[in-house]
Amino acid sequence: MAVTVKLPTQLRDATGGQAEVSGEGATVGEVLESLYGRFEPLRERLTDGEGGLRRFVNVYVGGEDIRFLDGLDTRVEDGAELNVLPAVAGG
Amino acid sequence: MAAKELKCRECGVTYALEARYVCDRCFGPLEVGYDHRRPEDPSGIRRRIQGGPQNIWRYADFLPLEAPPGPSVRSSSRLGLPAGCTPLVRADRLAERLGLHEVWVKNDAHNPTHSFKDRVVSVAAARARELGFEVLACASTGNLANSVAAHAAALGLDSYVFIPSDLEEQKVLGTGVYGTNLVKVRGNYDDVNRLCMELSFEHDKWAFVNVNLRPYYAEGSKTLSYEIAEQLGWETPDRLVVPIASGSLFTKIGKGFDEWLELGLITGEPPTMNGAQATGCSPVATAFAEGRDVCKPVKPATIAKSLAIGNPADGPYALDLARRSHGSIDAVTDDEIRAGIRLLAETTGIFTETAGGVTTAVLAKLAERGDIDPSERVVLVITGDGLKTLDAVRGTFTAYEVDANTDAFAAAVGVAA
């Protein structure tokens, strides 16, 4: 399944400047894994080395934080949009 | 300036003092690092501060600006709005009611737009101009919206202010009046925040004060601790009760005291830090109670809208500070919040918004639980004005309505001549 992944400015050097890339997979975890295959530096930047995401990385599917869904096991539909953003909040 | 770098709180990588807020390597938040040297004569620095302007720029040496507005700031709105130097009031009647010995109220409703946000926006706006930004913007739960709109108006900058569409009417009106571009987003604060972050990638001349200028913005909160220490005669209080939304204010208040203790400008111990949240949005209090060091995000449902951040980015650091200082993070219900507003109002004459109700109610809870030694000097940090959240007090009292004659008054009110 093809999924669009939008990346923040801070990660675009890992994708040759692309703000939006396409990933493959049935879950958020699989889609991200497919990206690590093509853009290896993303793995180090996003994951905690123990199979999870770093604690200041937020991932959204269709605008919803995956921590309200099933985390990395959250299912994604063909054509879904996944958004990776740094955790920054306060106001 | 003594500020020398931006440093990642997670992995320690350092960056130049530019418009950067997230570590490229690990996504951790960046914080301003300083090159302060412990002075041989702290009293000289204290005298210089005392001779400074009656606003936060008296602490400019401890803020990350190249050319902070000088003492003349009051005379020209084009230099921004003068924030800070708000009253610290000894609240003996409140203390008595709670069975405590010494309680002080730091009343930050006295700022130009009636909340502590004027402190952080002053610093962010000044730094935004130094870095060449042309527009001020923010994602806000209300108080920040008021402040950004007002500061932009004073400085003559365009502004875009993003708020949740269900915000209190007083906060909406108190923002739009300044002529900002006000954007009501259908969603909660966390949705607004996510939108603003995405917009910040596309508008590189816009300073989203609490997103891409966050390291500078957050430093403004330290001025609250500087002021409290100065007002207490260059001493730390024993304990502070502070509201928590993102956790930034809470942690920066801790940092402010730490910095000055290290420099020998003040005496005492690092204070015990108690955080206050509303039960309807208490991810940090919940993590504290469960002994976790990360916060699980929640969907907010509370009358304390200015604290309604379900995904608090500085939560881990707030938890660390509360534990390290032997404090706690507690949550109170909406009814307790209303009672807190009332308690503060009727014992001190200070009318606070719902966030202040949260803080006051948590103080009452700590007192009742016996967490506070009666000999302690406690500071209650009141961050905003009650006129911003009038719905919270609607229906909480009755008024007499009488004809304009003395008999009618006596009959209705029951007070004979």
Side-chain angles (χ1 to χ4, degrees):
Chain A
M1 253 170 285
V3 173
T4 303
V5 183
K6 290 172 83 172
L7 297 169
T9 324
Q10 295 85 354
L11 288 178
R12 293 177 191 168
D13 61 333
T15 60
Q18 295 178 80
E20 222 174 273
V21 294
S22 181
E24 289 285 332
T27 64
V28 171
E30 287 176 19
V31 172
L32 292 176
E33 196 62 42
S34 79
L35 295 188
Y36 303 153
R38 283 158 54 212
F39 309 106
E40 181 55 31
L42 281 183
R43 185 191 302 276
E44 158 75 18
R45 309 267 283 275
L46 295 180
T47 65
D48 62 5
E50 294 167 11
L53 293 170
R54 287 183 183 271
R55 67 178 180 173
F56 286 94
V57 174
N58 288 347
V59 178
Y60 301 84
V61 175
E64 184 70 303
D65 190 321
I66 60 167
R67 284 173 294 185
F68 288 114
L69 306 168
D70 295 320
L72 289 173
D73 296 328
T74 303
R75 312 281 308 170
V76 288
E77 304 284 322
D78 194 30
E81 187 175 288
L82 208 142
N83 215 326
V84 180
L85 293 173
V88 175
Chain B
M1 65 179 162
K4 65 166 181 180
E5 64 195 10
L6 294 176
K7 187 170 182 182
C8 175
R9 291 198 67 163
E10 290 288 290
C11 73
V13 169
T14 59
Y15 301 90
L17 289 162
E18 52 203 24
R20 182 187 282 274
Y21 59 104
V22 166
C23 177
D24 278 353
R25 201 173 85 178
C26 74
F27 264 31
L30 302 182
E31 187 169 60
V32 178
Y34 295 84
D35 189 16
H36 288 308
R37 294 212 175 76
R38 197 181 165 94
E40 281 178 25
D41 175 25
S43 64
I45 295 181
R46 289 196 286 262
R47 275 197 304 275
R48 202 169 75 216
I49 291 169
Q50 285 169 321
Q54 288 295 313
N55 54 57
I56 62 166
W57 303 125
R58 70 205 272 112
Y59 309 116
D61 288 349
F62 307 92
L63 296 171
L65 296 173
E66 283 158 29
S72 63
V73 67
R74 274 189 181 279
S75 63
S76 170
S77 68
R78 291 190 67 85
L79 292 172
L81 295 168
C85 286
T86 59
L88 180 72
V89 183
R90 184 161 166 154
D92 286 338
R93 295 189 59 243
L94 175 61
E96 200 175 300
R97 186 81 77 86
L98 298 175
L100 300 173
H101 173 62
E102 190 176 336
V103 175
W104 297 76
V105 175
K106 179 62 173 167
N107 187 4
D108 244 22
H110 268 251
N111 275 303
T113 70
H114 315 286
S115 88
F116 87 100
K117 290 294 184 188
D118 290 323
R119 298 176 184 273
V120 286
V121 173
S122 294
V123 177
R127 187 63 184 149
R129 293 218 297 194
E130 288 181 355
L131 292 169
F133 285 96
E134 292 162 1
V135 171
L136 285 190
C138 70
S140 175
T141 56
N143 284 322
L144 182 59
N146 295 176
S147 186
V148 165
H151 275 80
L155 294 167
L157 292 171
D158 280 342
S159 63
Y160 287 81
V161 168
F162 298 80
I163 55 173
S165 57
D166 71 344
L167 208 58
E168 297 98 340
E169 187 185 28
Q170 294 85 22
K171 285 184 179 160
V172 178
L173 296 173
T175 302
V177 70
Y178 298 110
T180 184
N181 297 287
L182 182 58
V183 185
K184 295 163 90 169
V185 179
R186 287 188 283 272
N188 60 30
Y189 171 79
D190 298 292
D191 297 314
V192 178
N193 186 66
R194 179 174 53 77
L195 171 64
C196 285
M197 182 166 298
E198 291 187 58
L199 287 171
S200 75
F201 301 147
E202 294 171 14
H203 299 275
D204 58 7
K205 289 289 176 200
W206 290 18
F208 283 87
V209 296
N210 56 334
V211 181
N212 51 0
L213 282 204
R214 186 166 188 78
Y216 306 99
Y217 160 95
E219 288 293 285
S221 290
K222 293 188 310 186
T223 59
L224 255 167
S225 13
Y226 298 156
E227 260 174 54
I228 290 168
E230 186 185 348
Q231 288 167 316
L232 290 175
W234 307 99
E235 279 180 24
T236 59
D238 297 309
R239 179 187 299 270
L240 288 104
V241 188
V242 180
I244 291 183
S246 72
S248 174
L249 171 68
F250 186 75
T251 50
K252 290 294 179 176
I253 284 181
K255 188 185 181 202
F257 286 115
D258 286 347
E259 281 180 356
W260 273 20
L261 281 168
E262 206 176 307
L263 290 174
L265 292 179
I266 52 177
T267 56
E269 296 296 319
T272 298
M273 297 291 294
N274 287 105
Q277 293 211 290
T279 308
C281 183
S282 55
V284 195
T286 304
F288 184 87
E290 293 174 354
R292 286 186 282 111
D293 60 3
V294 289
C295 301
K296 190 163 182 267
V298 299
K299 303 280 186 193
T302 170
I303 59 166
K305 291 183 181 174
S306 54
L307 303 181
I309 295 181
N311 190 358
D314 287 317
Y317 305 124
L319 288 163
D320 177 56
L321 176 59
R323 290 182 178 127
R324 197 158 27 93
S325 67
H326 309 292
S328 67
I329 300 171
D330 287 272
V332 287
T333 64
D334 285 356
D335 282 344
E336 288 174 302
I337 295 167
R338 291 188 193 92
I341 293 173
R342 181 65 181 244
L343 174 64
L344 186 71
E346 66 187 21
T347 57
T348 67
I350 294 169
F351 179 25
T352 183
E353 67 151 302
T354 46
V358 171
T359 320
T360 308
V362 165
L363 174 69
K365 180 174 263 192
L366 295 169
E368 195 178 330
R369 206 161 66 197
D371 282 15
I372 304 175
D373 188 282
S375 69
E376 282 184 40
R377 175 183 276 179
V378 183
V379 174
L380 182 66
V381 177
I382 293 301
T383 48
D385 194 313
L387 295 174
K388 293 184 184 227
T389 60
L390 289 172
D391 282 343
V393 295
R394 208 180 298 284
T396 60
F397 58 89
T398 51
Y400 303 104
E401 189 169 331
V402 301
D403 290 328
N405 66 71
T406 55
D407 289 345
F409 168 76
V413 185
V415 181

